[in-house]
Structure formats: C-alpha cells, structure tokens
PDB file of all heavy atoms in Angstrom:
ATOM      1  N   ALA A   1      99.693 101.693 135.839  1.00 84.00           N
ATOM      2  CA  ALA A   1      99.446 103.020 135.206  1.00 84.00           C
ATOM      3  C   ALA A   1      98.188 102.906 134.367  1.00 84.00           C
ATOM      4  O   ALA A   1      97.346 103.801 134.278  1.00 84.00           O
ATOM      5  CB  ALA A   1     100.612 103.440 134.345  1.00 84.00           C
ATOM      6  N   THR A   2      98.013 101.803 133.635  1.00 81.00           N
ATOM      7  CA  THR A   2      96.806 101.410 132.928  1.00 81.00           C
ATOM      8  C   THR A   2      96.684  99.908 133.185  1.00 81.00           C
ATOM      9  O   THR A   2      97.598  99.253 133.714  1.00 81.00           O
ATOM     10  CB  THR A   2      96.910 101.720 131.395  1.00 81.00           C
ATOM     11  OG1 THR A   2      97.870 100.766 130.827  1.00 81.00           O
ATOM     12  CG2 THR A   2      97.400 103.114 131.151  1.00 81.00           C
ATOM     13  N   PRO A   3      95.577  99.274 132.740  1.00 75.00           N
ATOM     14  CA  PRO A   3      95.423  97.835 132.964  1.00 75.00           C
ATOM     15  C   PRO A   3      96.547  96.975 132.383  1.00 75.00           C
ATOM     16  O   PRO A   3      96.761  95.857 132.839  1.00 75.00           O
ATOM     17  CB  PRO A   3      94.090  97.523 132.297  1.00 75.00           C
ATOM     18  CG  PRO A   3      93.311  98.784 132.433  1.00 75.00           C
ATOM     19  CD  PRO A   3      94.303  99.893 132.232  1.00 75.00           C
ATOM     20  N   SER A   4      97.259  97.490 131.382  1.00 80.00           N
ATOM     21  CA  SER A   4      98.326  96.691 130.794  1.00 80.00           C
ATOM     22  C   SER A   4      99.653  97.463 130.731  1.00 80.00           C
ATOM     23  O   SER A   4     100.516  97.218 129.890  1.00 80.00           O
ATOM     24  CB  SER A   4      97.960  96.244 129.373  1.00 80.00           C
ATOM     25  OG  SER A   4      97.712  97.351 128.568  1.00 80.00           O
ATOM     26  N   HIS A   5      99.841  98.359 131.702  1.00 86.00           N
ATOM     27  CA  HIS A   5     101.061  99.190 131.741  1.00 86.00           C
ATOM     28  C   HIS A   5     101.457  99.342 133.231  1.00 86.00           C
ATOM     29  O   HIS A   5     100.771  99.970 133.992  1.00 86.00           O
ATOM     30  CB  HIS A   5     100.749 100.557 131.136  1.00 86.00           C
ATOM     31  CG  HIS A   5     101.978 101.433 131.023  1.00 86.00           C
ATOM     32  ND1 HIS A   5     102.082 102.431 130.107  1.00 86.00           N
ATOM     33  CD2 HIS A   5     103.137 101.471 131.685  1.00 86.00           C
ATOM     34  CE1 HIS A   5     103.211 103.084 130.244  1.00 86.00           C
ATOM     35  NE2 HIS A   5     103.885 102.492 131.202  1.00 86.00           N
ATOM     36  N   LEU A   6     102.540  98.671 133.594  1.00 90.00           N
ATOM     37  CA  LEU A   6     102.969  98.622 134.975  1.00 90.00           C
ATOM     38  C   LEU A   6     104.244  99.439 135.177  1.00 90.00           C
ATOM     39  O   LEU A   6     105.122  99.454 134.272  1.00 90.00           O
ATOM     40  CB  LEU A   6     103.238  97.162 135.423  1.00 90.00           C
ATOM     41  CG  LEU A   6     102.156  96.125 135.123  1.00 90.00           C
ATOM     42  CD1 LEU A   6     102.550  94.788 135.659  1.00 90.00           C
ATOM     43  CD2 LEU A   6     100.857  96.569 135.719  1.00 90.00           C
ATOM     44  N   ARG A   7     104.363 100.054 136.336  1.00 92.00           N
ATOM     45  CA  ARG A   7     105.561 100.830 136.675  1.00 92.00           C
ATOM     46  C   ARG A   7     106.099 100.352 138.039  1.00 92.00           C
ATOM     47  O   ARG A   7     105.319  99.990 138.926  1.00 92.00           O
ATOM     48  CB  ARG A   7     105.240 102.316 136.747  1.00 92.00           C
ATOM     49  CG  ARG A   7     104.943 102.951 135.412  1.00 92.00           C
ATOM     50  CD  ARG A   7     104.854 104.492 135.516  1.00 92.00           C
ATOM     51  NE  ARG A   7     104.592 105.056 134.223  1.00 92.00           N
ATOM     52  CZ  ARG A   7     105.550 105.385 133.357  1.00 92.00           C
ATOM     53  NH1 ARG A   7     106.807 105.162 133.658  1.00 92.00           N
ATOM     54  NH2 ARG A   7     105.265 105.912 132.181  1.00 92.00           N
ATOM     55  N   HIS A   8     107.427 100.394 138.164  1.00 94.00           N
ATOM     56  CA  HIS A   8     108.099  99.973 139.416  1.00 94.00           C
ATOM     57  C   HIS A   8     108.859 101.174 139.985  1.00 94.00           C
ATOM     58  O   HIS A   8     109.354 102.037 139.216  1.00 94.00           O
ATOM     59  CB  HIS A   8     109.055  98.848 139.135  1.00 94.00           C
ATOM     60  CG  HIS A   8     109.513  98.111 140.316  1.00 94.00           C
ATOM     61  ND1 HIS A   8     110.675  98.451 140.995  1.00 94.00           N
ATOM     62  CD2 HIS A   8     109.016  97.055 141.028  1.00 94.00           C
ATOM     63  CE1 HIS A   8     110.847  97.648 142.003  1.00 94.00           C
ATOM     64  NE2 HIS A   8     109.828  96.794 142.056  1.00 94.00           N
ATOM     65  N   PRO A   9     108.985 101.278 141.311  1.00 95.00           N
ATOM     66  CA  PRO A   9     109.729 102.414 141.930  1.00 95.00           C
ATOM     67  C   PRO A   9     111.171 102.552 141.412  1.00 95.00           C
ATOM     68  O   PRO A   9     111.730 103.642 141.460  1.00 95.00           O
ATOM     69  CB  PRO A   9     109.716 102.086 143.398  1.00 95.00           C
ATOM     70  CG  PRO A   9     108.510 101.239 143.596  1.00 95.00           C
ATOM     71  CD  PRO A   9     108.388 100.424 142.350  1.00 95.00           C
ATOM     72  N   THR A  10     111.793 101.454 140.919  1.00 94.00           N
ATOM     73  CA  THR A  10     113.140 101.559 140.382  1.00 94.00           C
ATOM     74  C   THR A  10     113.213 102.205 139.020  1.00 94.00           C
ATOM     75  O   THR A  10     114.279 102.449 138.495  1.00 94.00           O
ATOM     76  CB  THR A  10     113.760 100.134 140.266  1.00 94.00           C
ATOM     77  OG1 THR A  10     112.929  99.357 139.411  1.00 94.00           O
ATOM     78  CG2 THR A  10     113.833  99.477 141.674  1.00 94.00           C
ATOM     79  N   GLY A  11     112.048 102.453 138.403  1.00 93.00           N
ATOM     80  CA  GLY A  11     111.992 103.026 137.070  1.00 93.00           C
ATOM     81  C   GLY A  11     111.696 102.019 135.990  1.00 93.00           C
ATOM     82  O   GLY A  11     111.481 102.375 134.827  1.00 93.00           O
ATOM     83  N   CYS A  12     111.653 100.742 136.308  1.00 95.00           N
ATOM     84  CA  CYS A  12     111.327  99.695 135.335  1.00 95.00           C
ATOM     85  C   CYS A  12     109.905  99.832 134.878  1.00 95.00           C
ATOM     86  O   CYS A  12     108.991 100.229 135.661  1.00 95.00           O
ATOM     87  CB  CYS A  12     111.585  98.311 135.911  1.00 95.00           C
ATOM     88  SG  CYS A  12     113.305  97.984 136.311  1.00 95.00           S
ATOM     89  N   VAL A  13     109.651  99.502 133.628  1.00 93.00           N
ATOM     90  CA  VAL A  13     108.326  99.557 133.060  1.00 93.00           C
ATOM     91  C   VAL A  13     108.026  98.232 132.325  1.00 93.00           C
ATOM     92  O   VAL A  13     108.878  97.645 131.690  1.00 93.00           O
ATOM     93  CB  VAL A  13     108.200 100.712 132.054  1.00 93.00           C
ATOM     94  CG1 VAL A  13     106.902 100.697 131.289  1.00 93.00           C
ATOM     95  CG2 VAL A  13     108.358 102.060 132.782  1.00 93.00           C
ATOM     96  N   LEU A  14     106.791  97.741 132.462  1.00 93.00           N
ATOM     97  CA  LEU A  14     106.322  96.564 131.801  1.00 93.00           C
ATOM     98  C   LEU A  14     104.999  96.900 131.124  1.00 93.00           C
ATOM     99  O   LEU A  14     104.032  97.348 131.757  1.00 93.00           O
ATOM    100  CB  LEU A  14     106.145  95.446 132.801  1.00 93.00           C
ATOM    101  CG  LEU A  14     105.515  94.138 132.315  1.00 93.00           C
ATOM    102  CD1 LEU A  14     106.424  93.474 131.289  1.00 93.00           C
ATOM    103  CD2 LEU A  14     105.363  93.168 133.507  1.00 93.00           C
ATOM    104  N   GLN A  15     104.946  96.675 129.793  1.00 91.00           N
ATOM    105  CA  GLN A  15     103.752  96.981 129.050  1.00 91.00           C
ATOM    106  C   GLN A  15     103.283  95.776 128.261  1.00 91.00           C
ATOM    107  O   GLN A  15     104.096  94.874 127.988  1.00 91.00           O
ATOM    108  CB  GLN A  15     103.997  98.136 128.059  1.00 91.00           C
ATOM    109  CG  GLN A  15     104.396  99.479 128.665  1.00 91.00           C
ATOM    110  CD  GLN A  15     104.533 100.516 127.635  1.00 91.00           C
ATOM    111  OE1 GLN A  15     103.654 100.775 126.794  1.00 91.00           O
ATOM    112  NE2 GLN A  15     105.684 101.166 127.596  1.00 91.00           N
ATOM    113  N   GLY A  16     102.023  95.770 127.842  1.00 89.00           N
ATOM    114  CA  GLY A  16     101.491  94.740 127.029  1.00 89.00           C
ATOM    115  C   GLY A  16     100.715  95.314 125.883  1.00 89.00           C
ATOM    116  O   GLY A  16      99.993  96.307 126.061  1.00 89.00           O
ATOM    117  N   HIS A  17     100.879  94.729 124.696  1.00 89.00           N
ATOM    118  CA  HIS A  17     100.143  95.130 123.524  1.00 89.00           C
ATOM    119  C   HIS A  17      99.739  93.896 122.747  1.00 89.00           C
ATOM    120  O   HIS A  17     100.524  92.947 122.648  1.00 89.00           O
ATOM    121  CB  HIS A  17     100.987  96.025 122.620  1.00 89.00           C
ATOM    122  CG  HIS A  17     101.184  97.435 123.099  1.00 89.00           C
ATOM    123  ND1 HIS A  17     100.243  98.437 122.862  1.00 89.00           N
ATOM    124  CD2 HIS A  17     102.152  97.978 123.831  1.00 89.00           C
ATOM    125  CE1 HIS A  17     100.659  99.521 123.449  1.00 89.00           C
ATOM    126  NE2 HIS A  17     101.816  99.302 124.022  1.00 89.00           N
ATOM    127  N   ASP A  18      98.522  93.932 122.172  1.00 88.00           N
ATOM    128  CA  ASP A  18      98.202  92.844 121.280  1.00 88.00           C
ATOM    129  C   ASP A  18      98.047  93.400 119.870  1.00 88.00           C
ATOM    130  O   ASP A  18      97.741  94.546 119.649  1.00 88.00           O
ATOM    131  CB  ASP A  18      96.925  92.055 121.717  1.00 88.00           C
ATOM    132  CG  ASP A  18      95.725  92.921 121.913  1.00 88.00           C
ATOM    133  OD1 ASP A  18      95.760  94.081 121.490  1.00 88.00           O
ATOM    134  OD2 ASP A  18      94.748  92.446 122.485  1.00 88.00           O
ATOM    135  N   PHE A  19      98.325  92.529 118.889  1.00 90.00           N
ATOM    136  CA  PHE A  19      98.345  92.893 117.502  1.00 90.00           C
ATOM    137  C   PHE A  19      97.581  91.877 116.652  1.00 90.00           C
ATOM    138  O   PHE A  19      97.511  90.688 117.058  1.00 90.00           O
ATOM    139  CB  PHE A  19      99.772  93.060 116.970  1.00 90.00           C
ATOM    140  CG  PHE A  19     100.573  94.122 117.607  1.00 90.00           C
ATOM    141  CD1 PHE A  19     101.330  93.863 118.696  1.00 90.00           C
ATOM    142  CD2 PHE A  19     100.558  95.435 117.122  1.00 90.00           C
ATOM    143  CE1 PHE A  19     102.131  94.865 119.297  1.00 90.00           C
ATOM    144  CE2 PHE A  19     101.311  96.438 117.699  1.00 90.00           C
ATOM    145  CZ  PHE A  19     102.094  96.169 118.807  1.00 90.00           C
ATOM    146  N   ASP A  20      97.082  92.270 115.561  1.00 90.00           N
ATOM    147  CA  ASP A  20      96.424  91.371 114.622  1.00 90.00           C
ATOM    148  C   ASP A  20      97.470  90.663 113.829  1.00 90.00           C
ATOM    149  O   ASP A  20      97.934  91.194 112.802  1.00 90.00           O
ATOM    150  CB  ASP A  20      95.420  92.125 113.763  1.00 90.00           C
ATOM    151  CG  ASP A  20      94.575  91.193 112.875  1.00 90.00           C
ATOM    152  OD1 ASP A  20      94.580  89.974 113.133  1.00 90.00           O
ATOM    153  OD2 ASP A  20      93.937  91.698 111.919  1.00 90.00           O
ATOM    154  N   LEU A  21      97.870  89.469 114.226  1.00 91.00           N
ATOM    155  CA  LEU A  21      98.958  88.748 113.616  1.00 91.00           C
ATOM    156  C   LEU A  21      98.466  87.412 113.005  1.00 91.00           C
ATOM    157  O   LEU A  21      97.659  86.729 113.643  1.00 91.00           O
ATOM    158  CB  LEU A  21     100.075  88.470 114.616  1.00 91.00           C
ATOM    159  CG  LEU A  21     100.617  89.682 115.362  1.00 91.00           C
ATOM    160  CD1 LEU A  21     101.627  89.201 116.434  1.00 91.00           C
ATOM    161  CD2 LEU A  21     101.278  90.645 114.438  1.00 91.00           C
ATOM    162  N   PRO A  22      99.023  87.021 111.874  1.00 89.00           N
ATOM    163  CA  PRO A  22      98.634  85.694 111.282  1.00 89.00           C
ATOM    164  C   PRO A  22      99.235  84.571 112.153  1.00 89.00           C
ATOM    165  O   PRO A  22     100.298  84.698 112.701  1.00 89.00           O
ATOM    166  CB  PRO A  22      99.257  85.749 109.904  1.00 89.00           C
ATOM    167  CG  PRO A  22     100.380  86.706 109.984  1.00 89.00           C
ATOM    168  CD  PRO A  22      99.914  87.757 110.972  1.00 89.00           C
ATOM    169  N   PRO A  23      98.544  83.438 112.233  1.00 88.00           N
ATOM    170  CA  PRO A  23      99.059  82.319 113.051  1.00 88.00           C
ATOM    171  C   PRO A  23     100.123  81.534 112.330  1.00 88.00           C
ATOM    172  O   PRO A  23      99.882  80.430 111.826  1.00 88.00           O
ATOM    173  CB  PRO A  23      97.769  81.484 113.275  1.00 88.00           C
ATOM    174  CG  PRO A  23      96.960  81.733 112.026  1.00 88.00           C
ATOM    175  CD  PRO A  23      97.203  83.160 111.629  1.00 88.00           C
ATOM    176  N   LEU A  24     101.311  82.057 112.348  1.00 87.00           N
ATOM    177  CA  LEU A  24     102.472  81.403 111.659  1.00 87.00           C
ATOM    178  C   LEU A  24     103.549  81.080 112.638  1.00 87.00           C
ATOM    179  O   LEU A  24     103.729  81.764 113.665  1.00 87.00           O
ATOM    180  CB  LEU A  24     102.990  82.357 110.588  1.00 87.00           C
ATOM    181  CG  LEU A  24     102.121  82.659 109.354  1.00 87.00           C
ATOM    182  CD1 LEU A  24     102.676  83.786 108.555  1.00 87.00           C
ATOM    183  CD2 LEU A  24     101.954  81.373 108.519  1.00 87.00           C
ATOM    184  N   ALA A  25     104.272  80.000 112.360  1.00 89.00           N
ATOM    185  CA  ALA A  25     105.419  79.633 113.204  1.00 89.00           C
ATOM    186  C   ALA A  25     106.583  79.297 112.312  1.00 89.00           C
ATOM    187  O   ALA A  25     106.457  78.463 111.383  1.00 89.00           O
ATOM    188  CB  ALA A  25     105.090  78.389 114.074  1.00 89.00           C
TER     189      ALA A  25
END
C-alpha cells in the first residue's frame, strides 16, 4: 500500500514505523 505498509487478501496488515529512541536496553 506504501513502501512500509503491506496488505494481504485475508485482511492481514503489516506496517513499519521508525521512531527517535534512545539506545537503551
């Protein structure tokens, strides 16, 4: 649907987002 937004005929959706996050574990 977009470069980081996928759709499947069954209705499933897979998206990706990146965020500005501190490098903590």
